Amino acid sequence: MHFPARGCKPVQLERLEPRTLLAGLTAQYFDSVAFTDLKLTRTDATVDFTWPVAPDASMGADFFSVRWRGQVQPQYSQEYTFYVSSDDGARLWVDGRLLVDNWVNQSPTEKSAKLTLEAGKKYDIRLDYYEWNLGAQAKLSWSSASQAKQIIPSSRLFTSPLGVSATYFDNQNFTGPTTARTDSTIDFTWNTGSPAAGIGADTFSTRWTGYIQPQYSQTYTFYLTTDADAVARLRIDGQLIVDTAGVQDGGVFKLEANKFYDIAIEYAEGTGAANVKLEWSSPSLARQVIPNARLFSAAETAVPSRRADYTNSVEDRDLPDPGIIFADGAYWMTHTMGGPNQGWPLYKSTDMVSWTFQTHLLTLANKPAFMTDAFWAPEIHKIGAQYVMTGTSWSSTYGRLVIALATSLNIAGPYTVQPNPIVADGVSVLDSHLFQDHDGRVYFVWKRDSNAGTGQNGSIRIREMNAAGTAFLAGSVETVILDNAVGGWEKNLAEAPWMMRRGGFYYLFYSGAFIDTTYSVGVARSTSPLGPFTRNPANPILTNNAAWGGPGHGSFALDRDGVVWHFYHARHQSDPNYGRVQMLDRVVWTADGWPSFGNLGTPTSTQQPGPRVDAASGAGVINLLGDNAAADFYTIARRATDSSIVDILRNGLIVQSMPFTEIQSITIDGRGGNDTFIIDNSLGSAIPGAGVTLLGSGGTNTLRVIGSPDGDDVVHHTAGKITLGAGAITYTGVQKLRVETGAFAFDGNISGAAVEVYNAGLTFHATQTLGQFDLLGSAVATLAAGGARVLKTTGLAIAAGARLDLTDNDLVIDYTGATSPLGASDGSQYSGVSGLIARGSNAGTWDGAGGIGTSMPAAGVDFLTTLGVGEAAQVLDLSAGQTALWEGTTVDATSVIVKYTWGGDANLDGIVNGDDYSSIDFHIAAAGAGGYHNGDFNYDGIISGDDYSSIDFMIGAQGAQL
């Protein structure tokens, strides 16, 4: 569509005049290794530093960073070699290309790379450096065929010019013929004129890059205004801040005064009149075009990227109606959950492919009275500086489905849920969605069921909200933007709306048909968010195939290339009742501007290249060395006040902090002493993509893993390695493993380590061979049912509020020394392991705290099944030094055996028979006799007629041998 000229004279800013630039590079010195806490900005004539003390009195001598930026001008048209010598890490970019990437703790080390340069031409250059501890050095040199190796002299270094670097492309795809120049600001009204020499007036694109320098340490709001059929995006330090296509949320960014931030703007024009303007505001700054004095021209800094291949489904679990958002350098997803006590789980991913559970956003702590059950279809959107979450709930107060709204300053909460529904109607309402337009206006979109007897399933509606997205705008009107189509593929149903703006159109995605394998996705579009909307003649655009049925009810997000991805649910055609699993597929835009999907409009079922995302950069590989003798405590944790930052502490003091997305791996070498390593995931995973390596090089060392209070921390364990969610912890020289807070599951054998469980749930899915095993606080440890597992430990301690549940499995305590932990009776109660079982039995209910029990169904019926206990020396007739194989586990004479068996099975052979009568006959009259092995089957502390009765009953009641 061609838009007519607006009758205005085209406005085009002139290119900046050449100016004299200062010799040397602009240097910014930060009192942290993460380029925060700016202390000093100056011009350094060269980069040739060895610092015996701090670079400035305002900084420390260790744990600082420096960023040099500007331009370099070669004397010869030759291949140059650039050398960076650093202690510790350094990265060098020239002309936007990453030449040296040596981001590690190290003694003075030199790295080099080659690049062909043109004489007299100025190239953008940037050198990032961090100092860890001890020595500090940074040197930048070069050489060529005509230039001997030397520190790059100040006569060849220049500060960056004002403005932004602009590259104009003669098409919409940022490829093809280009024109390059420096623009003073981004404030253009081209109308129907050409933006630059050699560039057509229509279907062109522009990329502006450089640095932005704020005046205040405040949260800034950015405004990117374009003509109606253009698409534009703003990134600051690699984060997508504004996207006029409406897929991503954003618009605000917290900046530190006088610090230089990378800035990149992309603009793609359609046809007709063209304009683009970049503005900002803050509490101390009225809205204005970002001025020339705050912009510095530079080539776009190359950002390492990665792409994870995937095959659908990306999460093969019943996680329906996923809502996805990009925030804080990661992707976040929540989905339908039934309730009634908690709901709306939050997952996190750095690539849209691998997801890690974080927390539940709706709990008894923040759930208002009107929300009863059926917590469906949540979505989170960032409106201004806060996150707004909406979702459906069944309400016993209203007798139907209503829609709730909640807000938080952090993506992971806590959220404050409004005390009343944002939408409640005479019929059920559901499937809410927030859409923020490029002009900042916010709209609420939802599905309303029909009134009884209409034969249709309602409509999709919209209403404008206030600027904060928390209430309807006064005077706004509820508008129907899509009525159900009678018949056809939709089968009288339209729901699950998601709106985005692209070019001059607003696209309304929705799902229709039955809630089974016929479910499909359609789309309609309009030139206004308020409609009228026209359905795509090609609907449905995503439907069934032989592998996948019922695709639909999803959300949309961008990768770093601006590709739109659809995250949705579908069913296995081979097992439709398995659940609605989560799927990912790329949106393809057709020549007529409609969205579609490859694979003939159906879900993919073969391996696909996933979204392209930023690779871990920044701090990269982190290596810490401990004291050679001291007992140190190391903690890796998300920061409580900003969970996007990971802090690494030694003995309670922060020694390194940086954004989680910028960390590749962490290695800590304790070197000596009795060290404790703490991985704290309570505010989100603290384990970077390449994992954590812990070296307990000497001493007795402990690994503590703190899980999410609401999480499901499944631990995959192999020799010397733990995989927790998407992260891996590799360790050597660790003698004790402690898990705290959350729900853990061990699917492998810990193989010799001592284990502590504190205020956590732990399930063993495999036979375990442990050192000391301690259950502390309110811990509950369970052996997964199946009867084939043995928990073998050298010692066992269970706190008063803790419990060990063997279900139908067995326990071996392989002690050393002459004193057995079996325990004895004083005529009424037991000590030792027998006492723990007596407490766990709780008079036959087997649910007692502070002891050992079983939760199997037969337990509690007159001790029909029970936990029997005895010394291996007696049960298996072993002498000192002898061993035997019992339940697949080697035991010796100094072992206590606990077996899940029939009540009355005194010799623990899994069946009640005459041998067991003999045991009780012999011991019932013995003075001071006690213990299960001797006949006290009900753990009352004495052997009596009640125990005889147990055998009489069990002879006829027991089943197969256990």
Side-chain angles (χ1 to χ4, degrees):
M1 180 176 181
H2 187 83
F3 288 81
R6 300 173 185 169
C8 301
K9 181 178 180 180
V11 176
Q12 182 165 325
L13 299 183
E14 297 296 327
R15 283 189 287 174
L16 297 178
E17 295 296 327
R19 64 190 71 219
T20 301
L21 301 177
L22 298 175
L25 299 176
T26 301
Q28 293 200 313
Y29 290 77
F30 301 86
D31 199 21
S32 79
V33 296
F35 300 97
T36 57
D37 196 9
L38 176 65
K39 295 298 185 183
L40 175 67
T41 300
R42 71 187 188 196
T43 300
D44 285 341
T46 62
V47 180
D48 183 14
F49 297 99
T50 300
W51 291 285
V53 295
D56 186 76
S58 63
M59 302 168 57
D62 294 317
F63 312 117
F64 65 85
S65 54
V66 188
R67 175 168 289 155
W68 291 273
R69 40 169 292 279
Q71 295 183 319
V72 62
Q73 185 184 47
Q75 185 176 357
Y76 309 102
S77 293
Q78 293 176 352
E79 182 181 68
Y80 277 74
T81 301
F82 287 86
Y83 308 86
V84 178
S85 178
S86 64
D87 175 357
D88 292 281
R91 281 197 177 105
L92 173 69
W93 290 265
V94 178
D95 199 28
R97 307 177 197 184
L98 183 60
L99 296 187
V100 172
D101 187 4
N102 190 27
W103 206 252
V104 295
N105 293 349
Q106 61 192 347
S107 56
T109 303
E110 185 176 82
K111 298 289 185 178
S112 64
K114 299 179 183 295
L115 185 65
T116 299
L117 305 178
E118 181 181 340
K121 181 178 177 180
K122 289 176 180 172
Y123 294 86
D124 294 298
I125 188 170
R126 169 173 159 178
L127 176 62
D128 284 2
Y129 164 82
Y130 81 87
E131 151 62 9
W132 186 240
N133 60 6
L134 304 178
Q137 181 185 105
K139 297 177 181 290
L140 176 62
S141 307
W142 65 359
S143 68
S144 74
S146 302
Q147 172 65 64
K149 182 180 178 182
Q150 63 172 182
I151 296 291
I152 301 179
S154 61
S155 60
R156 294 292 166 184
L157 298 173
F158 305 88
T159 58
S160 300
L162 293 174
V164 282
S165 296
T167 304
Y168 291 82
F169 302 84
D170 198 24
N171 59 44
Q172 291 179 298
N173 302 317
F174 303 94
T175 60
T178 63
T179 295
R181 70 187 192 202
T182 300
D183 288 335
S184 61
T185 62
I186 301 175
D187 183 13
F188 295 98
T189 304
W190 291 298
N191 283 327
T192 56
S194 167
I199 306 298
D202 290 324
T203 62
F204 65 88
S205 54
T206 311
R207 179 180 291 118
W208 291 276
T209 62
Y211 303 102
I212 188 170
Q213 186 185 36
Q215 185 176 356
Y216 308 102
S217 292
Q218 294 175 349
T219 296
Y220 281 71
T221 301
F222 290 85
Y223 313 88
L224 189 54
T225 307
T226 70
D227 50 291
D229 66 341
V231 174
R233 299 183 183 93
L234 165 68
R235 286 184 173 87
I236 297 177
D237 269 9
Q239 293 196 39
L240 187 63
I241 305 302
V242 177
D243 168 42
T244 64
V247 180
Q248 295 289 72
D249 302 87
V252 296
F253 198 72
K254 189 173 183 179
L255 303 177
E256 184 178 345
N258 298 315
K259 177 182 172 180
F260 292 100
Y261 293 84
D262 293 290
I263 185 170
I265 305 98
E266 291 181 339
Y267 169 86
E269 165 63 0
T271 58
N275 64 80
V276 59
K277 179 164 57 177
L278 177 63
E279 302 169 283
W280 65 0
S281 68
S282 78
S284 300
L285 185 70
R287 178 170 173 172
Q288 63 175 214
V289 172
I290 300 178
N292 173 247
R294 293 291 163 183
L295 296 171
F296 296 84
S297 174
E300 183 178 21
T301 302
V303 178
S305 64
R306 58 188 172 87
R307 187 192 299 273
D309 291 343
Y310 74 96
T311 302
N312 275 323
S313 60
V314 294
E315 279 287 341
D316 201 62
R317 293 182 288 164
D318 185 32
L319 310 175
D321 310 332
I324 192 172
I325 179 179
F326 181 85
D328 296 339
Y331 297 92
W332 306 81
M333 177 267 293
T334 183
H335 62 81
T336 285
M337 184 174 178
N341 295 327
Q342 64 180 11
W344 300 343
L346 183 69
Y347 289 75
K348 184 176 182 181
S349 173
T350 57
D351 56 12
M352 281 191 262
V353 174
S354 299
W355 294 88
T356 303
F357 176 82
Q358 304 295 308
T359 186
H360 285 99
L361 302 177
L362 185 68
T363 66
L364 290 175
N366 67 344
K367 184 169 72 71
F370 75 84
M371 300 184 73
T372 307
D373 206 338
F375 305 143
W376 295 351
E379 289 183 10
I380 306 172
H381 296 270
K382 192 171 187 183
I383 309 296
Q386 71 177 349
Y387 294 93
V388 181
M389 177 173 62
T390 66
T392 301
S393 172
W394 171 262
S395 175
S396 57
T397 306
Y398 292 84
R400 59 188 65 91
L401 295 174
V402 298
I403 299 174
L405 185 145
T407 57
S408 174
L409 293 177
N410 297 300
I411 181 69
Y415 281 82
T416 300
V417 185
Q418 293 183 355
N420 298 301
I422 184 71
V423 181
D425 209 329
V427 295
S428 286
V429 290
L430 60 156
D431 291 358
S432 54
H433 171 67
L434 279 178
F435 169 68
Q436 185 170 29
D437 206 354
H438 68 293
D439 58 5
R441 297 170 73 173
V442 182
Y443 299 88
F444 195 89
V445 188
W446 74 98
K447 183 266 177 80
R448 181 186 188 273
D449 275 354
S450 65
N451 294 319
T454 64
Q456 296 186 37
N457 287 314
S459 55
I460 295 176
R461 304 188 171 210
I462 193 170
R463 185 175 174 186
E464 188 171 355
M465 304 195 78
N466 61 13
T470 56
F472 289 117
L473 185 67
S476 62
V477 177
E478 178 180 324
T479 303
V480 176
I481 55 174
L482 198 73
D483 257 325
N484 291 132
V486 179
W489 74 270
E490 294 179 17
K491 303 183 188 299
N492 298 352
L493 176 68
E495 62 181 22
W498 184 284
M499 186 177 289
M500 74 170 70
R501 178 180 180 270
R502 181 181 174 88
F505 286 106
Y506 295 84
Y507 292 88
L508 177 66
F509 294 86
Y510 63 98
S511 298
F514 298 137
I515 314 299
D516 55 22
T517 56
T518 68
Y519 205 57
S520 299
V521 176
V523 65
R525 71 183 181 187
S526 171
T527 56
S528 166
L530 302 177
F533 279 84
T534 302
R535 285 175 166 85
N536 185 356
N539 281 344
I541 59 172
L542 184 63
T543 189
N544 314 308
N545 58 24
W548 298 107
H553 200 141
S555 46
F556 296 82
L558 295 177
D559 66 10
R560 74 184 305 269
D561 295 324
V563 174
V564 179
W565 292 85
H566 186 30
F567 204 81
Y568 61 98
H569 71 232
R571 300 175 188 266
H572 289 276
Q573 290 282 27
S574 59
D575 187 6
N577 295 322
Y578 176 81
R580 289 170 286 177
V581 301
Q582 297 198 329
M583 312 279 286
L584 178 66
D585 276 307
R586 174 194 298 255
V587 177
V588 180
W589 298 90
T590 61
D592 56 4
W594 284 106
S596 64
F597 292 89
N599 202 44
L600 301 178
T602 67
T604 59
S605 55
T606 58
Q607 189 177 72
Q608 303 290 316
R612 194 162 76 94
V613 296
D614 292 343
S617 55
V621 178
I622 301 172
N623 296 298
L624 302 181
L625 288 176
D627 189 286
N628 200 32
D632 294 316
F633 283 79
Y634 299 91
T635 303
I636 304 172
R638 298 290 186 119
R639 182 177 296 174
T641 56
D642 183 355
S643 61
S644 68
I645 302 295
V646 169
D647 292 325
I648 303 175
L649 300 88
R650 181 166 54 200
N651 301 326
L653 300 176
I654 296 176
V655 294
Q656 192 154 357
S657 300
M658 57 207 60
F660 177 76
T661 55
E662 295 185 355
I663 304 175
Q664 295 177 24
S665 65
I666 301 172
T667 299
I668 302 177
D669 185 351
R671 296 209 295 177
N674 300 327
D675 298 322
T676 299
F677 306 102
I678 304 170
I679 312 296
D680 185 349
N681 299 300
S682 60
L683 297 175
S685 174
I687 307 172
V692 174
T693 300
L694 305 173
L695 306 174
S697 305
T700 301
N701 305 295
T702 300
L703 167 59
R704 291 171 52 190
V705 180
I706 302 174
S708 168
D710 300 315
D712 184 13
D713 301 306
V714 178
V715 176
H716 304 280
H717 187 277
T718 57
K721 185 174 182 179
I722 289 174
T723 302
L724 182 62
I729 306 170
T730 302
Y731 61 87
T732 59
V734 172
Q735 290 76 34
K736 180 187 290 186
L737 172 62
R738 174 177 167 129
V739 293
E740 307 175 21
T741 311
F744 292 84
F746 286 6
D747 65 353
N749 194 338
I750 300 301
S751 301
V755 172
E756 285 184 354
V757 186
Y758 176 72
N759 288 350
L762 171 60
T763 301
F764 292 114
H765 289 280
T767 287
Q768 298 293 319
T769 305
L770 309 180
Q772 177 71 26
F773 185 40
D774 296 334
L775 298 175
L776 309 174
S778 58
V780 177
T782 304
L783 268 71
R789 299 171 180 86
V790 176
L791 173 61
K792 184 177 182 181
T793 175
T794 60
L796 177 67
I798 302 178
R803 184 162 56 91
L804 172 60
D805 183 359
L806 296 179
T807 62
D808 54 355
N809 302 288
D810 305 325
L811 168 69
V812 172
I813 303 173
D814 187 9
Y815 62 93
T816 57
T819 303
S820 170
L822 176 64
S825 170
D826 63 2
S828 62
Q829 62 182 5
Y830 285 95
S831 60
V833 175
S834 298
L836 292 175
I837 299 175
R839 292 180 65 180
S841 73
N842 198 19
T845 61
W846 291 106
D847 58 359
I852 304 170
T854 172
S855 58
M856 292 303 290
V861 184
D862 293 327
F863 287 86
L864 179 64
T865 54
T866 188
L867 295 178
V869 60
E871 285 280 355
Q874 293 176 301
V875 172
L876 302 177
D877 194 22
L878 296 178
S879 301
Q882 289 184 313
T883 62
L885 194 65
W886 184 80
E887 303 289 352
T889 300
T890 300
V891 298
D892 57 24
T894 55
S895 297
V896 172
I897 293 174
V898 180
K899 178 175 176 56
Y900 176 77
T901 188
W902 300 108
D905 176 22
N907 61 0
L908 306 185
D909 63 357
I911 195 165
V912 181
N913 55 25
D915 294 338
D916 304 303
Y917 272 113
S918 299
S919 179
I920 196 169
D921 284 341
F922 179 78
H923 293 98
I924 193 167
Y932 184 91
H933 180 61
N934 295 329
D936 183 15
F937 305 131
N938 60 3
Y939 289 102
D940 64 358
I942 58 173
I943 302 172
S944 65
D946 292 339
D947 302 304
Y948 257 114
S949 299
S950 292
I951 292 187
D952 290 339
F953 175 76
M954 290 300 166
I955 286 287
Q958 67 186 326
Q961 185 173 4
L962 292 175

